[in-house]
Amino acid sequence: MGDTVLIALYAFAGAAVTGLAGAAALRPIRRRSLTASLSVVAAVGVVAMLAGTLAVAWAMFLSPHDLTVVTTVGAMAAVVSLATALLLGRWVVARSRELALAARSFGDGGDFAPPAGPTTAELDGLSRELAATSVRLAESRERERALETSRRELVAWISHDLRTPLAGLRAMAEALEDGVAADPDRYLRQIRTEVERLDGMVGDLFELSRIHAGTLPLAPTRMSSYDLVGDALAGADPLAREHGVRLVGGRIEPVPVEVDGKEMSRVLGNLLVNAIRRTPADGTVAVAAERSPGGVVLSVTDGCGGIPEADLPRVFDTGWRGTHARTPPAGAGLGLAIVRGIVEAHQGRATVCNIPGGCRFEVVLPAAAP
C-alpha cells in the first residue's frame, strides 16, 4: 500500500508540473485559433503521462531499457494525439469560418443559410440560433419598411390636408381684409371651423407621437362598460343625426373594466366617427359590449360595404385611409392608428373583419379583477 501511494504521489507531481506549464502556455494563445489550443491540450495530456511515468521510473530505479521503452511509447502517443488534435482543430475552424461567412448575409439584408455538412453540437446549436435570428431580422426589416412607407404616406397626406384649409384661410382672411367679403359672418364661421379642424389634426399628431414614444399617460379606474358605451353614443349622436345614420346600442352588458376613461372614450369616439362617416344615409351603426373568454369585447359595426381583403392588414396603420378620395371628411388617417395604440397601451388588442354589408371593429380589453 505504501508503494502504491508513493507511486501516485510521484506520478501526480510530474503530471501537475506539466499541467501548470500547459496552463501557462494556453494563456497567451487563448485568443488565437482553436487548433493551437487543442494542440496544447493534447500535448499536455501526453506529456503529463510521460512526466508521471518518468518520475515513477526515476523513483523506482527502472533499467535504462525499460525507461527507453516507456519513453518511446509516450512519444508515439504524443505524435498521434497531436495529429488528432490538429485534424479536429482544423475541421472545427473550417466549420466556424463557414458559419461566419453565412452569418455575413445578415448585414447584406439576406437570409441566413446554415453551412452544409456535419458540425459539432455547439456549432449546430449556434446555426439554429442564427437561423431564428435571421427570421426575426427579416420580420423586423419588413416592419421597418412598412413603417417607413406609412411615415412617407402620412407626411404626404398631412401636407395635402394642411395645404387645403390653409389656402382657404388665407383667401378668406384676404377677402375680409380687403372688405370684399359678401357675408363676413359666414367667412368668420368658416374660419373657425377650419381652425378647429386644424387643431384636431395637431392634437391627433401629438397623441400619436406620445403613443409611439411609449409616454402615453394612463390613469386606469374601475368602470362599467355600460357607462363607457353610453357616453360614447351620446357624444356621437349629433354627427349621426347630421349624416342620417341610426345609432343602435345592443347587447351592452355592464361588465367592469379597468381603463382610462378619457382615452377609452376617445377609442370608441374614433370608431364611431369612422363608422358614421362611411355608412350611407339611413344606414345603421351598432355598438355592443359583452364578456368573452378573452376579456371584454367592445364592438362597432357599420354599413360601409366592407373593406377590401388586401387592405384589412393595413387598416390600423398610420395614415391609412382606404380607397376613398382624400377629401377633408376622410381625415388624416390617424384615428384608427390612435385606436390601436391606446388599446395596446391597455394590454388589449384591436381587430377588424368584414361582415355582410359592412365591417366590424372589435376592441378586446382585459376584464377587471372581481
Side-chain angles (χ1 to χ4, degrees):
M1 185 65 182
D3 291 341
T4 303
V5 174
L6 185 62
I7 291 172
L9 289 175
Y10 274 105
F12 177 76
V17 172
T18 305
L20 291 175
L26 283 174
R27 183 174 180 82
I29 65 171
R30 64 185 185 276
R31 296 183 182 276
R32 299 185 62 183
S33 173
L34 181 63
T35 304
S37 299
L38 286 176
S39 300
V40 171
V41 171
V44 167
V46 175
V47 174
M49 181 191 67
L50 185 59
T53 302
L54 292 175
V56 172
W58 175 78
M60 301 299 293
F61 301 103
L62 294 181
S63 65
H65 177 268
D66 294 339
L67 186 59
T68 302
V69 171
V70 171
T71 304
T72 302
V73 171
M76 294 302 99
V79 171
V80 174
S81 298
L82 287 174
T84 303
L86 288 173
L87 289 175
L88 176 61
R90 290 175 65 85
W91 179 76
V92 172
V93 168
R95 299 286 83 77
S96 299
R97 287 175 178 171
E98 292 176 359
L99 192 59
L101 289 174
R104 288 180 184 174
S105 62
F106 288 175
D108 300 331
D111 296 329
F112 174 77
T119 60
T120 63
E122 291 78 10
L123 291 179
D124 187 58
L126 181 58
S127 294
R128 290 195 299 270
E129 290 296 326
L130 288 174
T133 301
S134 173
V135 173
R136 291 194 293 269
L137 285 175
E139 293 174 350
S140 177
R141 285 193 293 266
E142 187 62 29
R143 287 194 300 269
E144 185 65 27
R145 283 193 290 267
L147 286 174
E148 183 61 26
T149 301
S150 177
R151 291 190 189 99
R152 291 178 180 176
E153 291 178 352
L154 176 63
V155 170
W157 292 350
I158 289 293
S159 300
H160 174 273
D161 288 346
L162 287 176
R163 185 179 295 112
T164 301
L166 288 175
L169 288 172
R170 175 183 295 175
M172 287 185 287
E174 290 176 351
L176 290 172
E177 183 179 13
D178 296 339
V180 296
D183 188 353
D185 292 337
R186 184 176 66 85
Y187 275 46
L188 291 175
R189 287 193 300 271
Q190 185 64 28
I191 288 175
R192 180 176 179 178
T193 300
E194 294 295 337
V195 169
E196 289 177 351
R197 176 169 169 264
L198 291 174
D199 181 68
M201 188 182 302
V202 172
D204 286 346
L205 286 171
F206 180 66
E207 183 85 352
L208 195 61
S209 68
R210 292 196 300 177
I211 290 172
H212 287 170
T215 59
L216 181 67
L218 295 177
T221 57
R222 187 183 182 89
M223 61 188 308
S224 172
S225 60
Y226 184 87
D227 296 333
L228 188 64
V229 172
D231 293 342
L233 288 173
D237 185 65
L239 182 64
R241 292 177 180 274
E242 179 183 345
H243 285 74
V245 174
R246 293 185 299 275
L247 283 181
V248 177
R251 303 193 315 276
I252 301 178
E253 301 178 10
V255 185
V257 289
E258 289 276 350
V259 296
D260 185 307
K262 177 182 177 182
E263 296 297 339
M264 198 51 59
S265 294
R266 181 164 193 170
V267 166
L268 290 177
N270 284 358
L271 292 178
L272 285 171
V273 168
N274 186 70
I276 292 170
R277 286 178 173 171
R278 284 167 172 76
T279 297
D282 295 329
T284 300
V285 172
V287 185
E290 51 192 338
R291 189 188 298 272
S292 74
V296 179
V297 180
L298 307 177
S299 64
V300 176
T301 304
D302 60 35
C304 66
I307 299 172
E309 292 294 331
D311 287 341
L312 282 176
R314 296 195 57 204
V315 167
F316 293 98
D317 288 353
T318 301
W320 184 86
R321 293 194 290 189
T323 57
H324 296 286
R326 295 172 185 173
T327 54
L334 305 180
L336 294 179
I338 291 174
V339 165
R340 181 176 62 179
I342 294 175
V343 171
E344 291 179 352
H346 284 83
Q347 307 304 315
R349 67 181 186 276
T351 60
V352 61
C353 64
N354 285 323
I355 61 172
C359 59
R360 184 197 313 277
F361 288 84
E362 290 187 352
V363 171
V364 183
L365 299 172

